[in-house]
Amino acid sequence: MSAKGWNDLVGSLRRTLGGLPDDRSGDNTRYTMEDIGLSAFSVFFMQCPSFLSAQKTMEQAKGRSNLQSLF
C-alpha cells in the first residue's frame, strides 16, 4: 500500500470512528471512540495478539524491532 493510500485509509477510519456515538458515563471516558476503534483496527491489521508478540515476530523476521529503535 502506498503512503497516500495508507494515509487515506487511516484518515477515513479516524473520521468514521470519531463520529461514533459515545454513551459511556462516569470517569471511564479517558479514551475517545476514535482511539478505541484505531486500537481495535491495529490488532486486526497487525494480525498479532499483542504489541509484544508483533515486536518479537518483527525481530525474528528482520533482525530488529521498533522497540529497539524507539528505546
Side-chain angles (χ1 to χ4, degrees):
M1 176 178 285
S2 69
K4 181 184 181 330
W6 175 253
N7 290 336
D8 290 346
L9 173 64
V10 173
S12 178
L13 275 170
R14 285 184 181 280
R15 285 187 299 279
T16 300
L17 295 167
L20 291 175
D22 186 355
D23 296 329
R24 296 175 294 167
S25 61
D27 295 330
N28 191 20
T29 57
R30 176 177 177 182
Y31 299 103
T32 65
M33 295 303 285
E34 179 182 336
D35 289 337
I36 294 166
L38 286 173
S39 295
F41 171 75
S42 71
V43 171
F44 291 104
F45 183 81
M46 296 293 293
Q47 297 182 358
C48 289
S50 72
F51 181 74
L52 180 58
S53 68
Q55 294 301 304
K56 286 181 179 179
T57 301
M58 185 183 301
E59 186 169 6
Q60 289 172 348
K62 299 185 178 195
R64 77 183 286 174
S65 68
N66 289 344
L67 289 176
Q68 289 173 323
S69 51
L70 288 172
F71 301 105

